[in-house]
Each structure stands twice: as C-alpha cells, then as structure tokens.
Amino acid sequence: GQQLNQSPQSMFIQEGEDVSMNCTSSSIFNTWLWYKQDPGEGPVLLIALYKAGELTSNGRLTAQFGITRKDSFLNISASIPSDVGIYFCAGHRDQGGKLIFGQGTELSVKP
Amino acid sequence: NAGVMQNPRHLVRRRGQEARLRCSPMKGHSHVYWYRQLPEEGLKFMVYLQKENIIDESGMPKERFSAEFPKEGPSILRIQQVVRGDSAAYFCASSPPGMGTHEQYFGPGTRLTVT
C-alpha cells in the first residue's frame, strides 16, 4: 500500500534551535499537509501545500512541496518549549478523501 | 465556531460488547472521515462519508465495523463484538464541501479500551 516515510523519528533539541523534518514517498501526491499532535489530543493542521515547488509559512513554520511531488519538508525556526509534540506529514493523492499519514516525528525541546 | 466534536473521549468495553463512537463535524462541513491510531503510529484511514452516503470504505475491516452519517445527527462509527485488537484512538475529521481543498480538521478522538 501507499506509504509515507517520515524522518527523523525523534529529535531532541535546545530551545532556540531550528528544526527540519521531511517526508518522502514512492508515489506522487497532489496535496501535502503537516499536522501537530499533542498527547491525548487530535492532530492540528499547521500547513497545507497544493502545488509542486510551493513554499508556505505559518509564523515560525515553513513547509515546501517538493518539485517531484514525492516529498515535503517542514522547518521550525527558533524553537520554543511549546513546540514539543509529534509532527505528522500527510498526503492526498486522488479523487477520494483519504489522507495517507507518515509515522510521525517526535520533537522534544530542552529549555 | 466549534471544532469537530467527538464523544465519548474515553470508552471502555469488554470483549464481545459493542462500541459506538460519535462525531459532529465542524459547522458547514459535509464531509466526514474516520481514522484509527495505534500507540506510537500514524493515523490510518478507515472511511469517508458524506451525508447519507459512504464514499470510500477501503480502510474499514470487512467485518464488525460500520459507519454512517445520517441526514440529521452525528456520524457514528460502530464496532460490534469488540476484541482486544480494537483498542486504539479513533479520530474523526471533517472538511468543507466542494473540490479544491483537502484540508481535514480533526476532533480530539475517542480512546477505546477493550478489556
């Protein structure tokens, strides 16, 4: 089945550092989305990308839709403790509504 | 503007019982999706519904699981004769009508524990 490979699986960083994570696939996606999930909660949509090459920012977050349409990355600049959580990429491929999710990147930020 | 609502937040069932999970989409949203998440894993798609129609149920187990989104009222995910392996977090998401957006907004989830 379709899979998204997300890396790294986990990151331990110091407050103030920049963070980068990415998602790759063997299949083309038409839409890439990035979500953040806190413990015991549902995923919260951070950024949606619709065009190959598109670069979109949301505050300290920046995400890009890869030119090949098979990858995407998310950057977080100047991390703060509330950035802690699990970040998921998700791709949408065809006419249906299904999102395919990556395995998640767990981010820990040390004050 | 209320977000996606799910209840109950936690549900404990003994093996063989039925579990009913409810989801009310965001106001103005007519598309509902159900996903399942096992511990330390990503979300796995189960089913996509619009009002009174199942659009895609390719992720639903063939037996014991069913979903509906009636004309009035919340969407329901029903699991009959639950087994231990059904223990997971079940998330509902909704999106607005029309083409062009695949942004799905998630509820807080229902954590099902089967004892």
Side-chain angles (χ1 to χ4, degrees):
Chain A
Q2 298 169 8
Q3 283 198 337
L4 292 183
N5 297 310
Q6 192 171 343
S7 65
Q9 275 191 318
S10 60
M11 303 182 74
F12 296 85
I13 62 168
Q14 200 77 28
E15 183 178 358
E17 289 183 355
D18 296 344
V19 171
S20 185
M21 59 192 78
N22 68 72
C23 216
T24 61
S25 172
S26 56
S27 305
I28 288 172
F29 284 89
N30 297 321
T31 304
W32 286 93
L33 303 116
W34 286 91
Y35 288 87
K36 179 180 181 239
Q37 185 177 29
D38 292 328
E41 299 296 331
V44 173
L45 181 63
L46 299 173
I47 291 180
L49 301 154
Y50 291 98
K51 288 187 196 174
E54 179 182 354
L55 186 72
T56 297
S57 293
N58 178 8
R60 294 178 296 105
L61 278 59
T62 302
Q64 184 157 29
F65 192 144
I67 287 288
T68 63
R69 296 166 64 194
K70 293 183 179 180
D71 62 342
S72 177
F73 73 75
L74 175 71
N75 284 348
I76 306 172
S77 63
S79 57
I80 58 178
S82 62
D83 290 334
V84 165
I86 303 179
Y87 291 80
F88 289 99
C89 62
H92 182 270
R93 195 177 175 205
D94 51 29
Q95 296 297 325
K98 177 187 342 186
L99 288 181
I100 308 294
F101 278 79
Q103 308 97 314
T105 294
E106 185 171 7
L107 179 63
S108 301
V109 179
K110 188 176 177 184
Chain B
N1 185 16
V4 177
M5 299 177 69
Q6 289 188 249
N7 68 80
R9 292 292 304 269
H10 300 274
L11 183 61
V12 179
R13 285 286 177 265
R14 286 196 294 271
R15 276 180 297 170
Q17 291 185 319
E18 178 180 289
R20 280 191 179 228
L21 287 62
R22 294 175 193 77
C23 169
S24 296
M26 285 178 73
K27 189 175 180 182
H29 287 194
S30 55
H31 300 214
V32 165
Y33 315 82
W34 286 93
Y35 293 81
R36 177 162 62 178
Q37 185 178 36
L38 295 172
E40 300 186 13
E41 291 189 9
L43 283 75
K44 297 283 195 297
F45 169 80
M46 297 181 75
V47 63
Y48 163 34
L49 309 105
Q50 295 177 20
K51 284 285 186 182
E52 300 184 281
N53 285 307
I54 296 175
I55 307 300
D56 180 358
E57 56 181 348
S58 58
M60 285 276 271
K62 293 284 185 274
E63 296 178 352
R64 302 187 299 109
F65 285 72
S66 63
E68 62 176 9
F69 188 17
K71 189 176 179 182
E72 301 291 337
S75 175
I76 306 284
L77 178 67
R78 183 180 176 209
I79 311 173
Q80 295 179 287
Q81 299 175 339
V82 296
V83 300
R84 288 245 173 93
D86 296 333
S87 295
Y90 292 83
F91 291 97
C92 168
S94 71
S95 66
M99 298 291 290
T101 176
H102 301 297
E103 298 172 16
Q104 296 180 15
Y105 297 87
F106 284 82
T110 294
R111 272 114 190 117
L112 173 65
T113 302
V114 179
T115 61

